[in-house]
Amino acid sequence: MKAYRVHAGGKFGEGRFDTMSPEELDKGNVVVRIAYASVNYKDALTARGKAKIALKFPLVAGIDLAGTVESSEDPRFRKGDEVIVHSFGLGGEHDGGYAEFGRFPAEWVIPLPKGLSLFEASALGVAGHTAALAIDLMQLNGLTPAKGKVLVNGATGGVASIAIDQLAKLGFHVVALTGKAGEADYLRSLGAAEVLDRKAMEFGTRPLESPQWAGAVDSVGGEQLAWLARSMQRDGVIAAFGNAGGADFKGSVLPYILRGVRLLGVNVNNPVERMKFLWNRLATDLRPRYLDRIARRIRFEELETAFDELLAARVRGRQVVDFSLG
């Protein structure tokens, strides 16, 4: 069967198109025929050996997948069941989604929620799950549409695009901040009420800037995350999940102690019951309205081009490998 595997070599491994036999499937008790697997920034880093993510060689890359059960030694699953698999070290410690089949522990396998197709589940993938978790955490911390505007940073990215759609659907006034001013129409089509050009912004340096945002979804980190903290309203909440602009940020404690700003870390590696809860929201109130605008299908053979486009920041939304495409 065809696969995309990372082999030992270079600094952190070298990815290439490959073949593997059923005997090489990783440990587990549920075999899944993989229909779709999304392309994520983390996958590009793994495949191109840009970061120490692959912890075994060879490794099938791909941090999420959707497909049908081929066989199961666990009574919870039967042949033909539609399922989702992500997290638990998938695409890092355990073979991931870029192969025609995969074998996984039953405890990792999530039944496809009613209301989603396999393609939609993969188009959402880890990105949609991250967006759902970010919004759920902000709501648990008191964010409502009545509180004010919500800024989405790095707005054309996969997680951010989905979050814009979800937040607008929930009734929030969404402000998209992007370095790609040419994508303003795309962002408005997802529900953004305002689009700000990052290159034209004055971020300021004061410990406290004028309060603007009730909530913020941040994939950038670095100096922009520090600016967000300084610009939040009283009791504002920031959901942070990325570091595209740098892993370090400096700032003052004043936003936290004078305005009660809350910085929420978003980590999708949660107990499976929490994951199932979020997937049920993704199939209901957090189901994006415009996933067809956000995600596009690609052939398996286009993976390496997809990786390079992601690393060069030339991608908007989501790319999904469709194994049925010739």
Side-chain angles (χ1 to χ4, degrees):
M1 63 182 173
K2 61 186 179 182
Y4 191 91
R5 295 203 285 183
V6 181
H7 294 263
K11 188 175 182 182
F12 299 121
E14 297 175 336
R16 62 175 181 263
F17 292 106
D18 206 349
T19 58
M20 57 189 295
S21 67
E23 291 73 30
E24 293 180 272
L25 292 175
D26 220 335
K27 61 186 178 181
N29 53 1
V30 179
V31 176
V32 177
R33 180 187 291 271
I34 299 169
Y36 304 100
S38 73
V39 185
N40 303 277
Y41 189 74
K42 186 175 181 180
D43 299 321
L45 293 174
T46 308
R48 291 313 199 194
K50 299 291 186 182
K52 189 177 181 180
I53 298 169
L55 300 181
K56 76 179 189 82
F57 300 109
L59 168 79
V60 177
I63 63 173
D64 60 44
L65 61 98
T68 57
V69 172
E70 184 71 11
S71 64
S72 175
E73 299 171 12
D74 188 290
R76 288 173 290 183
F77 298 98
R78 294 183 295 179
K79 182 178 174 66
D81 287 350
E82 295 183 317
V83 296
I84 306 162
V85 187
H86 66 85
S87 303
F88 301 104
L90 203 73
E93 302 172 53
H94 192 284
D95 285 343
Y98 300 148
E100 293 179 279
F101 292 89
R103 184 161 53 207
F104 313 100
E107 291 73 20
W108 300 2
V109 180
I110 298 172
L112 181 74
K114 185 178 180 180
L116 289 178
S117 69
L118 285 175
F119 172 74
E120 290 169 331
S122 198
L124 289 164
V126 168
H129 192 261
T130 300
L133 178 57
I135 292 169
D136 190 66
L137 288 171
M138 290 193 296
Q139 290 178 317
L140 288 172
N141 279 270
L143 183 66
T144 64
K147 294 285 183 68
K149 298 179 180 181
V150 178
L151 184 134
V152 179
N153 203 5
T156 61
V159 181
S161 292
I162 293 168
I164 290 169
D165 190 341
Q166 293 169 320
L167 287 163
K169 179 182 179 181
L170 293 174
F172 288 93
H173 183 107
V174 182
V175 180
L177 178 60
T178 179
K180 301 176 182 177
E183 298 288 2
D185 288 344
Y186 163 71
L187 295 170
R188 290 192 181 95
S189 80
L190 302 182
E194 301 176 52
V195 179
L196 303 180
D197 181 356
R198 187 181 70 234
K199 297 172 184 175
M201 291 284 292
E202 292 289 339
F203 292 104
T205 58
R206 295 181 298 175
L208 289 173
E209 302 290 346
S210 297
Q212 299 181 68
W213 323 114
V217 176
D218 181 64
S219 63
V220 178
E223 291 301 317
Q224 289 184 52
L225 178 55
W227 165 75
L228 277 173
R230 301 194 304 269
S231 305
M232 300 303 291
Q233 299 173 8
R234 181 175 177 84
D235 296 325
V237 290
I238 305 169
F241 59 85
N243 61 345
D248 298 324
F249 74 100
K250 299 177 181 178
S252 166
V253 299
L254 295 184
Y256 307 103
I257 62 175
L258 296 183
R259 290 183 179 169
V261 172
R262 298 163 197 172
L263 179 57
L264 310 174
V266 180
N267 185 320
V268 298
N269 293 303
N270 291 298
V272 71
E273 290 307 314
R274 175 75 165 138
M275 293 165 63
K276 289 178 180 177
F277 167 80
L278 292 168
W279 274 106
N280 284 327
R281 289 201 68 181
L282 283 165
T284 53
D285 65 314
L286 289 181
R287 188 180 190 277
R289 301 163 297 175
Y290 306 118
L291 202 53
D292 58 328
R293 301 175 188 174
I294 296 170
R296 69 181 185 92
R297 302 168 192 250
I298 66 170
R299 293 180 295 109
F300 175 73
E301 291 74 18
E302 297 179 84
L303 258 177
E304 291 193 334
T305 300
F307 295 147
D308 293 340
E309 292 291 298
L310 262 178
L311 292 174
R314 291 194 291 264
V315 175
R316 79 177 189 193
R318 301 276 284 153
Q319 301 175 95
V320 180
V321 174
D322 182 341
F323 281 92
S324 72
L325 296 179

